[in-house]
Amino acid sequence: MIKNSYDFESEKIKELIKERGASRVGLQLPEGLKTVATDIAAEISQETGAEVIISGNSCYGACDVDEKLERTVDLLFHFGHSEYNSFGKAFHSKKRFVRKENYQKKVFFIELRSSVDIKPVVEKAAAELKGDSVGLVATLQHVHGLNEAKMLLARFGKKAVIGKSNSLKYEGQVLGCEFSSAAMVPCEEILFIGSGSFHPVGLALYIGKRVIAADPFTMQIGIYEAEGLRKKRYVAIERALDAKSFGIIIGMKSGQSNLSGAIALRRKAVEKGLNAYLITMDEIREDKLLAFKVDAFVNTACPRLAEDFIHFKKPVLSAREFEVVLGERSWECIF
Ligand code: SF4
């Protein structure tokens, strides 16, 4: 089954179901692809006889396997993300690493590789590159095209480097919270191949280089300057400097929980004479935050929403940014 240019690997899925004798299977798709969930469910149940249950909950990453559904079914197919080689220490607890061993028995990651040709958008992006050397990265859906993009860029006189990731499966792969494949490479700027702004914003913020984002589906090119994005974060910290009370958010999505980190931050805040409260959340939305009588928040869950937080009425800081407020970290060492 190939829908929206993604390979859903339905033959492999049906074979696995038959091989394992699974009578009840789960499907978990990311937000943008839930529209095809019922088509996949219909095909699977017709051809294998298995009962199919679709996860209706939000899903943004491999860190976000629907554990309740996993316990209900014989096999769970999680679409759009790849397994971590190891879980990033900054955002994922050890508990999740242990659970990953159990996942291997019943959770299968269907990567949804795209068949869209990335060459036209890479050619378009090449015109925007200022330097001679570029770090080449992509989301999982396009990572198989990076070597071709590298050869194409050479024709434009650009030396492209595809770096190894500390924890992700493929060279050049990035997540909204994992940019090590870009951090390792000597380059003047970054070319990101994929959709949306979360990855290029995170790359520019944390790597500190200019990022050119090329979307092979829309052919749009976006430019993200590190300095401008970092200034926005400094403004958020400044707004929180006068805050007397903080809500420390603990993510309850399966791989995002950092309970010990959140508790440590709360204790530090109390030692500095601030009021601080631990708050659990599945999804961090402004309407939910507004219910709490605190002056500012600290996010210890998924970091990819930093750009969204700029528009929230109350400041939402990362743990590192909060340490600046506490006087334990210098402004130069946030990223
Ligand atoms: S923590 Fe956020 S950015 Fe990282 S994998 Fe999960 S959803 Fe993606």
Side-chain angles (χ1 to χ4, degrees):
M1 184 189 297
I2 296 193
K3 287 184 166 70
N4 301 339
S5 91
Y6 294 117
D7 182 359
F8 283 79
E9 300 186 59
S10 60
E11 292 313 311
K12 177 175 137 185
I13 291 172
K14 287 180 277 186
E15 256 172 50
L16 264 165
I17 293 169
K18 287 175 191 166
E19 240 177 65
R20 300 283 183 103
S23 59
R24 195 185 288 162
V25 302
L27 304 179
Q28 191 183 13
L29 289 105
E31 296 318 285
L33 289 170
K34 282 195 165 62
T35 49
V36 297
T38 51
D39 295 345
I40 303 170
E43 184 177 332
I44 290 174
S45 68
Q46 269 162 27
E47 296 190 29
T48 67
E51 200 71 64
V52 181
I53 305 176
I54 303 165
S55 171
N57 296 321
S58 60
C59 173
Y60 299 107
C63 64
D64 192 5
V65 170
D66 188 330
E67 288 187 312
K68 286 182 187 153
L69 181 56
E70 180 223 340
R71 288 190 204 106
T72 312
V73 296
D74 302 318
L75 293 177
L76 174 63
F77 296 97
H78 177 108
F79 292 80
H81 308 116
S82 63
E83 253 177 299
Y84 286 70
N85 283 338
S86 63
F87 274 34
K89 284 198 181 76
F91 306 113
H92 306 286
S93 68
K94 281 193 180 143
K95 175 178 164 272
R96 298 300 318 139
F97 189 78
V98 174
R99 287 285 297 139
K100 181 177 173 261
E101 302 309 311
N102 298 335
Y103 283 172
Q104 285 170 348
K105 297 190 189 116
K106 57 197 290 200
V107 180
F108 290 87
F109 290 83
I110 306 296
E111 296 184 351
L112 296 185
R113 296 303 182 96
S114 167
S115 58
V116 162
D117 184 6
I118 65 169
K119 289 195 292 299
V121 83
V122 171
E123 274 178 23
K124 196 174 172 190
E128 301 293 341
L129 294 170
K130 289 181 179 169
D132 294 328
S133 60
V134 60
L136 203 45
V137 295
T139 54
L140 176 64
Q141 280 62 53
H142 304 290
V143 82
H144 54 285
L146 286 181
N147 279 321
E148 204 176 12
K150 180 179 172 173
M151 286 189 276
L152 185 59
L153 287 167
R155 280 194 239 144
F156 289 86
K158 307 290 180 189
K159 181 176 165 31
V161 189
I162 304 167
K164 277 200 171 146
S165 168
N166 287 340
S167 61
L168 304 179
K169 203 168 169 187
Y170 302 103
E171 289 191 1
Q173 186 186 352
V174 288
L175 295 180
C177 61
E178 222 292 12
F179 307 112
S180 58
S181 61
M184 308 291 177
V185 299
C187 63
E188 291 153 89
E189 50 202 338
I190 310 282
L191 174 55
F192 162 78
I193 300 167
S195 304
S197 62
F198 284 123
H199 301 85
V201 165
L203 280 159
L205 266 178
Y206 295 104
I207 306 297
K209 290 179 181 166
R210 182 172 178 262
V211 177
I212 293 89
D215 185 336
F217 296 124
T218 63
M219 286 295 290
Q220 295 290 315
I221 303 293
I223 311 283
Y224 298 80
E225 302 284 354
E227 202 183 328
L229 290 164
R230 287 184 169 186
K231 267 187 194 151
K232 287 185 189 172
R233 295 313 309 157
Y234 295 143
V235 169
I237 299 168
E238 269 171 2
R239 286 176 61 211
L241 285 175
D242 294 330
K244 298 282 179 278
S245 56
F246 286 84
I248 316 278
I249 302 167
I250 304 164
M252 295 307 278
K253 290 280 189 181
S254 57
Q256 294 180 16
S257 174
N258 184 3
L259 179 61
S260 56
I263 289 173
L265 284 176
R266 196 193 80 81
R267 288 184 183 159
K268 280 185 199 174
V270 171
E271 277 166 24
K272 301 278 176 184
L274 297 166
N275 292 318
Y277 308 91
L278 297 171
I279 300 169
T280 61
M281 288 188 140
D282 280 341
E283 272 190 88
I284 305 168
R285 295 205 323 254
E286 188 174 29
D287 57 329
K288 290 186 174 184
L289 295 185
L290 286 174
F292 297 103
K293 280 192 282 177
V294 292
D295 302 323
F297 294 91
V298 181
N299 171 33
T300 67
C302 169
R304 60 183 276 174
L305 296 170
E307 178 74 351
D308 284 3
F309 294 154
I310 299 289
H311 308 291
F312 285 21
K313 284 196 180 72
K314 292 180 183 177
V316 184
L317 306 183
S318 70
R320 285 171 160 240
E321 291 166 351
F322 186 46
E323 284 171 356
V324 173
V325 173
L326 296 177
E328 298 200 339
R329 182 180 288 276
S330 74
W331 292 72
E332 292 75 36
C333 298
I334 300 169
F335 300 105

